[in-house]
Amino acid sequence: MKTFVKAVSVAAVIVVGAPLLFAQWPSFPTPDVPKAADGKPDLSAPAPKMPDGKPDLSGLWENGPLGFGPQEPSAAGQPPLATFFDVGAGFKEGLPLRPWAAELLKKRREDHSKDNPDAHCLPMGLLQFHEHPQPRKIVQTPKLIVIIYEANYGLRQIFLDGRPLPNNDPQPWWYGYSVGKWEGDTLVVETTGLIDGGWLDIIGSPLTDQAKITERFRRLNFGTLQIDVTIDDPKAYTRPFTVRFNQRLTLNEELIEFICNENEQSAKHLLGKDVAALSASFELDPKVFDTYAGRYQLAPGTFATFSRDGSRFFAQFGNSPPFEIFAASQREFFLRVIDTRFTFEVDASGRATAVVVHTDADRRAPRVP
């Protein structure tokens, strides 16, 4: 199946996510999938049940497109949709941060999220896992749910055997300690015991060791899983807030092995605010950008788009947001947030025919109509 290279920060999404890797296990059909009259899978069919009558959340689930803002407008009275980059993007006034937490978020953003745990092959927080473009598999039994995340090959346990949350466990956990119970067709999961200094999203919205996370899992139909997550962290936020994640079932696929530290080439390219500020740009007539603007194919179905906005030049990879790039010479450009450069190849008329992306390796992308 298609898998995304880890998007470790806003900047790394551009560079690491640009040359998407394609890998797959041998194909095997998902069993017991309901069929519509035309013989195709009917993902709108009723959700399956466990032998005890509880909804069966099992399956391979993935998110929708990446983005900064909500993927779609929320209905009145419903929680806003969270996004991979900014969990609070759907709140008009932003997250209810305490002053120190707002300063920490500002610093993390100014440092281009270079200290995000995912950027260094450390475990992500639960919300980053919910948001991550790489899929996750839910394995359900009456007393235990296990969630296997392709991203960083994470593993999480949710205990359904009636045990309480620990009262005074001195050992903090990256994923916390989770217990769940059924309220009708909704699985309510409470998690505490989290490590301090956590990240809710790519930009670095804080999470502390005082947080309690409450998740409400509902399988709306065979192909849709809805998760409402409430963050109650009085140390970092002035009040609790709730966001929603919508996930869709993936058929005939499996998780692939993802070993983050194997040939890890990303962290050394991440630049903080102070280092990025040292990069000086070359004065170039903005009209030159027009000769380079266009789409370039990095891989089958994967494109880089370069565009001019007045006197500024931007690069965008896939569904990632556009990022400004700066001229180092007539044909060479660079990012200030990460150690990456671009060289445009031109024909005799001066029109760009390809771009070479220089990161840990050189990747040539021909221009397409």
Side-chain angles (χ1 to χ4, degrees):
M1 64 174 291
K2 292 182 180 179
T3 182
F4 295 81
V5 178
K6 68 187 182 81
V8 296
S9 70
V10 174
V13 167
I14 298 176
V15 179
V16 182
L20 295 179
L21 298 183
F22 298 89
Q24 63 181 22
W25 289 108
S27 180
F28 190 82
T30 302
D32 304 321
V33 177
K35 298 294 195 298
D38 60 4
K40 296 181 179 179
D42 182 7
L43 298 184
S44 64
K49 300 284 187 179
M50 296 284 287
D52 61 4
K54 299 291 192 299
D56 186 358
L57 308 182
S58 300
L60 187 68
W61 301 94
E62 64 179 0
N63 289 324
L66 301 177
F68 275 104
Q71 298 170 17
E72 58 190 58
S74 297
Q78 299 298 310
L81 293 175
T83 69
F84 182 49
F85 296 96
D86 181 0
V87 72
F91 293 98
K92 185 177 180 180
E93 304 299 328
L95 295 178
L97 292 155
R98 294 194 181 278
W100 76 265
E103 284 298 314
L104 176 60
L105 175 58
K106 179 182 177 183
K107 181 181 184 303
R108 288 174 171 178
R109 298 188 74 159
E110 289 176 344
D111 277 339
H112 312 300
S113 302
K114 70 179 181 65
D115 294 322
N116 189 306
D118 191 24
H120 303 278
C121 295
L122 293 171
M124 288 175 280
L126 299 185
L127 265 68
Q128 283 203 65
F129 271 130
H130 282 325
E131 301 156 358
H132 207 283
Q134 289 177 263
R136 72 281 302 140
K137 174 182 279 189
I138 297 179
V139 181
Q140 181 174 335
T141 73
K143 300 296 184 182
L144 177 71
I145 285 179
V146 174
I147 305 180
I148 308 167
Y149 301 95
E150 187 174 276
N152 282 0
Y153 233 40
L155 180 66
R156 180 187 178 196
Q157 299 181 87
I158 301 173
F159 299 104
L160 306 179
D161 54 7
R163 71 182 67 185
L165 287 168
N167 286 328
N168 55 358
D169 190 343
Q171 173 65 51
W173 306 77
W174 284 94
Y175 306 148
Y177 194 99
S178 299
V179 300
K181 63 180 180 180
W182 290 97
E183 295 182 357
D185 286 344
T186 300
L187 177 65
V188 181
V189 178
E190 295 182 333
T191 300
T192 58
L194 295 149
I195 64 168
D196 205 17
W199 293 54
L200 288 178
D201 47 28
I202 289 296
I203 64 172
S205 300
L207 188 71
T208 78
D209 55 359
Q210 298 300 305
K212 181 178 183 179
I213 299 176
T214 302
E215 300 156 288
R216 302 179 68 86
F217 292 78
R218 295 179 61 221
R219 190 164 184 172
L220 303 182
N221 52 39
F222 193 85
T224 306
L225 181 65
Q226 182 185 87
I227 310 171
D228 288 350
V229 182
T230 299
I231 302 296
D232 186 359
D233 186 354
K235 185 174 175 180
Y237 300 93
T238 59
R239 64 180 184 276
F241 61 91
T242 301
V243 292
R244 174 167 291 175
F245 302 87
N246 289 328
Q247 299 184 357
R248 58 176 180 261
L249 185 68
T250 297
L251 300 178
N252 310 326
E253 306 285 1
E254 291 292 347
L255 300 180
I256 68 166
E257 186 178 74
F258 184 93
I259 308 302
C260 179
N261 268 317
E262 182 180 18
N263 195 33
E264 197 282 314
Q265 299 290 331
S266 303
K268 66 184 181 183
H269 294 290
L270 299 177
L271 304 179
K273 176 183 177 182
D274 295 337
V275 175
L278 298 177
S279 301
S281 60
F282 175 80
E283 292 295 330
L284 192 63
D285 185 343
K287 293 181 180 179
V288 175
F289 300 155
D290 295 334
T291 63
Y292 304 138
R295 297 175 76 223
Y296 298 78
Q297 187 169 16
L298 290 157
T302 305
F303 300 91
T305 302
F306 294 86
S307 59
R308 177 165 78 99
D309 183 2
S311 61
R312 303 169 70 190
F313 199 35
F314 291 86
Q316 182 176 17
F317 293 89
N319 291 320
S320 73
F323 280 78
E324 187 171 7
I325 61 176
F326 301 86
S329 69
Q330 186 76 13
R331 295 192 295 112
E332 295 180 334
F333 295 80
F334 64 93
L335 284 165
R336 279 184 171 155
V337 297
I338 193 167
D339 183 16
T340 299
R341 291 179 175 264
F342 310 90
T343 301
F344 287 91
E345 299 177 357
V346 299
D347 59 20
S349 68
R351 181 181 180 275
T353 58
V355 64
V356 179
V357 182
H358 309 281
T359 52
D360 53 295
D362 292 345
R363 299 176 178 89
R364 185 178 184 276
R367 190 172 189 165
V368 296

